[in-house]
Amino acid sequence: MKVVDSHTAGEPTRVIVDGGPDLGGGTLGAQLERFKQEHDDIRTRVILEPRGSDALVGALLCDPVESDSVAGVIFFNNAGYLGMCGHGMMGLVVTLYHLGKIGLGVHKIDTAVGAVMVTLHDQNSVSIENVPSYCYRESVEISVKGLGLVTGDIAWGGNWFFLVQGIPVALKLENVASLTRLAKEVKRALASQGITGAEGQEIDHIEFFSAPLSVDANSRNFVLCPGGAYDRSPCGTGTSAKLACLAAKEKLGPEETWVQESVIGSTFSARYSILSKDRIIPTISSQAFICAESTLVVQSGDPFRDGIQ
């Protein structure tokens, strides 16, 4: 299986470019379900140790579904499958360019939750026009072990997020262990108290915010991903969810720039346009860089051929 690795603002992406599973036709949502039900061993083989890591996000390069799209993609991680992944989309775009499959300019890429427009400005600089995003519920109060009463917003940016402004731990790299523990407690509290996204969907991403450390940023965040790893980047879908909340509260206007800083200090530049009364279209910009081209090998008799689970 041939893969290309990249990172976007520090967060890694591994794209399967050859040797992936045959998922047949149909929508990417249907193909994702087929991947999940019939080929999940490939997900674990690519993502888990000893070949991968908890921070790694995988992307299966697929044929486009829509006639004017250049490619399709299914995203996955150590815990399962993702509808959309902002940093992963940027990694996919620079990978396609690296392989000579696309040139600079505007392209359309199909995902399981809808088509995404991307602009490749140069070999490393990408803007993605994400799926419609919205703030589902504002100022939701939950009781969290170790934190007490916590107030946050629930928003969709391609994945479900619970966004919390201000916790008693600085959003710094040396505090990642404590931040991870607290974010897991928030996630447990949401589940135990029956708080979900629309139509009962699980809120599987937790996002903490604070004032930025950089004078050029508007905010700093820490994002806990579904598999328990923190996002090294500012998180594309998480930044989209943040924009949706800012728009709903009229704290950021259309086309105004919001610079989101990650817990490692990398940044995404973001803005939005209005789609409808309660929906926005976020545009996220950053840089992604190719790290490696590899062939993953499976040998007979390997007890961890499908990853350490």
Side-chain angles (χ1 to χ4, degrees):
M1 184 184 299
K2 294 187 181 300
V3 300
V4 176
D5 289 356
S6 64
H7 81 84
T8 307
E11 181 76 353
T13 304
R14 173 169 288 170
V15 181
I16 301 174
V17 297
D18 189 35
D22 181 3
L23 301 178
T27 67
L28 279 181
Q31 292 184 54
L32 185 155
E33 192 61 31
R34 224 168 283 133
F35 196 164
K36 182 189 301 184
Q37 298 300 325
E38 301 174 15
H39 303 285
D40 196 57
D41 57 329
I42 292 179
R43 175 187 67 83
T44 59
R45 190 177 301 168
V46 169
I47 291 296
L48 301 184
E49 296 180 29
R51 297 180 188 85
S53 72
D54 283 349
L56 186 62
V57 169
L60 175 65
L61 180 62
C62 303
D63 290 333
V65 174
E66 299 191 18
S67 60
D68 56 346
S69 296
V70 297
V73 62
I74 295 173
F75 293 110
F76 50 94
N77 68 1
N78 60 335
Y81 298 82
L82 303 168
M84 170 57 187
C85 179
H87 95 267
M89 180 62 75
M90 295 183 197
L92 173 69
V93 172
V94 300
T95 295
L96 291 173
Y97 180 79
H98 176 74
L99 296 173
K101 294 182 178 293
I102 62 170
L104 303 182
V106 181
H107 306 281
K108 183 179 175 183
I109 297 177
D110 297 322
T111 79
V113 292
V116 173
M117 300 301 296
V118 303
T119 303
L120 183 62
H121 305 285
D122 59 43
Q123 69 173 355
N124 301 115
S125 301
V126 187
S127 295
I128 63 169
E129 190 177 277
N130 198 10
V131 296
S133 303
Y134 65 100
C135 185
Y136 177 59
R137 292 178 62 190
E138 295 182 29
S139 302
V140 177
E141 292 186 345
I142 58 173
S143 178
V144 179
K145 180 181 178 181
L147 285 174
L149 193 64
V150 171
T151 302
D153 299 327
I154 301 171
W156 170 262
N159 297 296
W160 282 107
F161 288 82
F162 191 70
L163 303 92
V164 180
Q165 182 70 43
I167 63 165
V169 177
L171 305 191
K172 295 183 178 181
L173 198 54
E174 59 264 32
N175 295 332
V176 159
S178 296
L179 292 166
T180 298
R181 177 179 57 80
L182 292 173
K184 287 180 177 180
E185 291 295 348
V186 170
K187 187 176 179 182
R188 275 192 280 267
L190 290 167
S192 67
Q193 294 166 46
I195 297 171
T196 68
E199 300 177 346
Q201 295 182 73
E202 179 189 6
I203 302 170
D204 56 3
H205 289 71
I206 308 301
E207 191 165 10
F208 296 148
F209 292 91
S210 72
L213 296 186
S214 169
V215 296
D216 298 321
N218 296 97
S219 173
R220 189 175 179 90
N221 71 1
F222 170 88
V223 180
L224 186 71
C225 300
Y230 74 93
D231 200 324
R232 277 70 171 165
S233 82
C235 187
T237 54
T239 299
S240 298
K242 178 66 172 180
L243 290 182
C245 293
L246 291 168
K249 298 176 182 182
E250 298 184 345
K251 292 185 176 181
L252 186 74
E255 305 305 332
E256 292 181 3
T257 298
W258 180 269
V259 177
Q260 187 62 59
E261 180 182 65
S262 76
V263 72
I264 71 167
S266 57
T267 59
F268 284 171
S269 177
R271 55 186 171 81
Y272 73 89
S273 60
I274 295 175
L275 178 64
S276 64
K277 182 181 178 181
D278 58 355
R279 297 289 192 279
I280 66 164
I281 299 294
T283 298
I284 314 294
S285 302
S286 191
Q287 287 188 308
F289 297 88
I290 300 298
C291 300
E293 293 182 82
S294 310
T295 300
L296 304 186
V297 175
V298 176
Q299 291 189 319
S300 61
D302 181 356
F304 301 112
R305 59 175 289 152
D306 295 330
I308 301 172
Q309 303 185 48

